[in-house]
Each structure stands twice: as C-alpha cells, then as structure tokens.
C-alpha cells in the first residue's frame, strides 16, 4: 500500500543523500514525507533548509513553513510562508497556505482560528482529498484531532 511506497521512497532518497547525489527536490520530498507521517524533527528542518539553500522552489518554501510551524517556531514559519507567497506571486493565501496558518494558530493555542483556517484548505483536484500527502488530508486530520481534544 501507500505506506510501503512511502517507506521505499524515503529509503531511496536517503540512499541518494548518503551518496551525495540528492537534489534540492529530493531533500524537499523527504522532508514532506516526514511531515505527512507526523514525524517532524530538527532533522526534517535540516533537510528542508538544504532544499531551500539556493532560494528554493515555492514547494520547498511551503514545506519549510509547515516544518517550522510543526516545530512551534511560529515567527519563522510566518516569514517562510510570506516568502513562499512572494515566490508564487500570491496576494491572498491559497489552500496550502491556509494549512500553514492553521498550524501556526494551533501552536499559538487558538483552536477556533486553526479550525477556521483548516476549513479554507480545499483539495486542488478531486484525488487530493484521498492523497495522504495533500494539505487537504493533513487539514482533515488536524480538524479531527482538535475536535477530539475539545471533546466534541
């Protein structure tokens, strides 16, 4: 299943890193895989910092923002998010950006704001709703966790 695929993908990328052959995109993909597993550590931050070293794609800047938010580094997360929005020439946050804002609100212990942000994370395409690696799926998980912790 998907979990087996993810483990194989992570091992494959780690092998490239060990051989010094990984690209910025590889580093970003490994970091994002750790995000989707809920396994973000300082090591994840290292991976995504390498991915964004030479400016980074908007994807890697978004991963950086999520990782920083997951680690509770909300000020840095907000700065990374603004850089990502600049890179994409966005005036307003899109669904993936609302996910970062939701994580920041959660870390600041404002669950109502987090839920409002997550409600704005829409799947970009129908298949995203079922993709465990999409922000839409991650937002749905966070909503379930928040509602459980609020006793609803």
């Amino acid at each position: 299943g998907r979990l087996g695929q993810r483990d194989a993908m992570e091992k494959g990328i780690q092998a490239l890193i060990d051989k010094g052959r990984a690209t910025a995109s590889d580093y970003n993909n490994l970091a994002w895989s750790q995000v989707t597993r809920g396994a973000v550590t300082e090591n994840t931050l290292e991976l995504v910092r390498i991915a964004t070293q030479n400016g980074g794609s908007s994807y890697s800047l978004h991963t950086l923002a999520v990782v920083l938010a997951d680690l509770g580094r909300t000020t840095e997360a907000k700065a990374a998010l603004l850089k990502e929005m600049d890179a994409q020439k966005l005036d307003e946050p899109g669904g993936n950006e609302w996910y970062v804002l939701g994580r920041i609100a959660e870390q600041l212990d404002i669950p109502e704001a987090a839920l409002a942000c997550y409600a704005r994370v829409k799947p970009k395409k129908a298949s995203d709703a079922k993709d465990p690696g999409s922000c839409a799926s991650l937002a749905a998980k966070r909503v379930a966790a928040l509602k459980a912790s609020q006793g609803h």
Side-chain angles (χ1 to χ4, degrees):
R2 279 187 190 269
L3 290 178
Q5 286 174 331
R6 184 164 59 190
D7 289 348
M9 186 267 298
E10 286 192 17
K11 284 195 183 86
I13 294 175
Q14 192 58 57
L16 288 174
I17 290 171
D18 295 343
K19 291 181 187 131
R21 297 220 315 265
T23 64
S25 176
D26 292 325
Y27 280 97
N28 178 60
N29 290 341
L30 184 53
W32 187 253
S33 186
Q34 292 175 2
V35 165
T36 62
R37 281 196 290 119
V40 169
T41 64
E42 288 295 325
N43 179 52
T44 314
L45 183 56
E46 277 310 298
L47 292 169
V48 75
R49 285 218 190 274
I50 294 167
T52 56
Q53 248 164 11
N54 305 315
S57 66
S58 60
Y59 291 111
S60 56
L61 289 167
H62 178 264
T63 304
L64 178 62
V66 174
V67 168
L68 287 164
D70 279 353
L71 292 171
R73 293 160 72 162
T74 53
T75 307
E76 289 172 84
K78 211 162 28 177
L81 181 64
L82 291 172
K83 263 175 92 168
E84 182 244 337
M85 286 178 64
D86 267 356
Q88 290 205 62
K89 313 235 181 307
L90 293 176
D91 294 328
E92 296 283 322
N96 291 348
E97 291 73 39
W98 282 110
Y99 178 73
V100 180
L101 293 167
R103 291 299 292 132
I104 291 171
E106 261 193 272
Q107 294 288 14
L108 298 174
D109 203 24
I110 321 171
E112 311 74 34
L115 288 167
C117 291
Y118 294 142
R120 300 182 82 153
V121 182
K122 302 282 183 257
K124 287 197 165 150
K125 46 192 191 297
S127 60
D128 282 353
K130 293 189 182 69
D131 176 1
S134 73
C135 283
S137 293
L138 293 173
K141 264 194 214 158
R142 297 305 320 149
V143 167
L146 278 168
K147 289 192 168 158
S149 71
Q150 292 177 333
H152 292 308

